[in-house]
Amino acid sequence: MSVAWWMLLAALAAAGTWLARRYALARALLDAPGERRAHEVPTPRGGGIAIVAAMLVASLVLLARAGAAWPVMAAFTAGLVAVAVVGWIDDHRPLSARLRLCVHAGAALGFALALGGTTGQWAWAGMAGLGIVALVNIWNFMDGIDALAASQAALVAAAVGAALPGIAGALAWSLSAACVGFLPFNLPRARIFMGDVGSGALGYVLGALLVMAAMSLPSRSMLWLLPPSAFLVDAGLTLARRVLRGEAWWTAHAQHAYQGWARRVGHGPVTLAYAGWTVAAVAIVWWLREASTGFILASVTAWYTAAAFFWGLLQARNAAASRRT
């Protein structure tokens, strides 16, 4: 992807976010402060529609150039539209979790079938279907403080873009550009939230990209568990703890490690810390790209063990701070 094309997509996302903010203010489409919210003033939502618009432009251009891979790109684009539409509607009037999950699963299934039918690699196609559904929901769970979800998506997408050639790489760079265009409206304090339309779309695109990256290097595919590790560990362990406690795990909450940490130190330091973790993970991917399978497995295990340790430490400190207040 050329620098000019990347900058054009970033500018499109920035302009779209500005328009989305005006639309949200005119429609009183606002997130009010509350017990499960991390902000203190009513804030417009739905800015992620600009990320979707930029991604759709990129997807359509790449679809026209896809050649034999056009079924995969067509299914990808259709799935992105489906996930974005249900998220956009949910941002306006809440939909049931079951309906949203069905749409997410349908979008993931469509992409998985196209990927399997085109490549013949049905095991990877199955992983794509499951991974997309998981990441759509994880990015939604983790979209709770300023700039966190967009910055993480930009970093992970850039890592995939640097590793993959051709259409998949261009798609990854397009996502990084769209996120960078959105971020000025989320820093240093959010003037608009991306909403479900944005977080769902990010999870969908990243799920597809990470599986394609893993497919490109099957003997070292586990490396691609490293870039999204901050989100996977925080979301996964928090969900597991809620299940073990017998809580209604499917309901909204503010128990993630990043949420408690942000209440203690503010949004900016937490977003920067998570970004630093992800940059380090990407550097390790690059360092291990020629390593043996066994060494990669040991390294990934050690990385996730360290992430789990830090998650537990953060949760303990969050709980201590909560008791003091």
Side-chain angles (χ1 to χ4, degrees):
M1 169 178 282
S2 69
V3 174
W5 178 243
W6 189 95
M7 293 179 66
L8 177 63
L9 289 174
L12 176 61
T17 307
W18 182 79
L19 290 172
R21 186 173 186 274
R22 292 186 57 131
Y23 169 85
L25 290 171
R27 292 291 191 94
L29 196 62
L30 306 173
D31 272 346
E35 181 182 350
R36 295 186 176 92
R37 305 286 186 178
H39 57 288
E40 298 178 354
V41 297
T43 305
R45 66 177 179 270
I49 190 66
I51 296 175
V52 173
M55 285 304 301
L56 283 177
V57 169
S59 297
L60 291 172
V61 170
L62 293 172
L63 175 60
R65 302 177 179 180
W70 74 264
V72 177
M73 275 305 304
F76 171 86
T77 305
L80 176 61
V81 170
V83 171
V85 166
V86 76
W88 180 249
I89 294 172
D90 192 58
D91 284 333
H92 286 73
R93 56 180 184 86
L95 299 174
S96 72
R98 181 176 299 177
L99 174 60
R100 287 184 281 120
L101 182 60
C102 286
V103 173
H104 299 160
L109 178 62
F111 178 77
L113 290 174
L115 184 66
T118 301
T119 66
Q121 300 187 53
W122 289 102
W124 284 112
M127 291 184 67
L130 294 174
I132 285 172
V133 173
L135 284 181
V136 166
N137 287 279
I138 286 172
W139 242 260
N140 181 265
F141 295 157
M142 299 295 290
D143 179 29
I145 63 172
D146 298 347
L148 182 64
S151 62
Q152 287 291 304
L155 290 170
V156 175
V160 175
L164 291 186
I167 289 176
L171 196 63
W173 283 119
S174 299
L175 179 60
S176 73
C179 291
V180 168
F182 171 80
L183 277 171
F185 294 86
N186 227 220
L187 290 169
R189 185 175 297 276
R191 289 181 283 157
I192 186 169
F193 298 143
M194 69 170 59
D196 286 348
V197 62
S199 60
L202 291 184
Y204 173 83
V205 177
L206 288 170
L209 288 175
L210 286 168
V211 169
M212 287 190 286
M215 287 176 66
S216 72
L217 201 64
S219 63
R220 297 174 176 86
S221 58
M222 287 192 67
L223 283 174
W224 291 105
L225 289 172
L226 294 175
S229 58
F231 271 25
L232 294 182
V233 169
D234 198 348
L237 292 182
T238 301
L239 176 62
R241 187 175 69 168
R242 283 172 58 79
V243 171
L244 291 173
R245 288 176 171 178
E247 299 176 4
W249 54 267
W250 57 89
T251 59
H253 63 90
Q255 297 180 25
H256 290 286
Y258 81 89
Q259 291 171 313
W261 195 13
R263 287 193 291 270
R264 293 190 289 117
V265 303
H267 294 206
V270 177
T271 295
L272 286 174
Y274 272 66
W277 177 273
T278 301
V279 168
V282 171
I284 292 173
V285 171
W286 182 258
W287 177 54
L288 293 177
R289 68 191 186 282
E290 300 296 338
S292 67
T293 303
F295 189 72
I296 289 173
L297 175 60
S299 299
V300 172
T301 301
W303 186 258
Y304 269 80
T305 301
F309 170 79
F310 285 120
W311 177 88
L313 182 63
L314 280 175
Q315 291 289 29
R317 291 184 175 179
N318 294 341
S322 179
R323 287 193 296 269
R324 287 195 297 268
T325 58

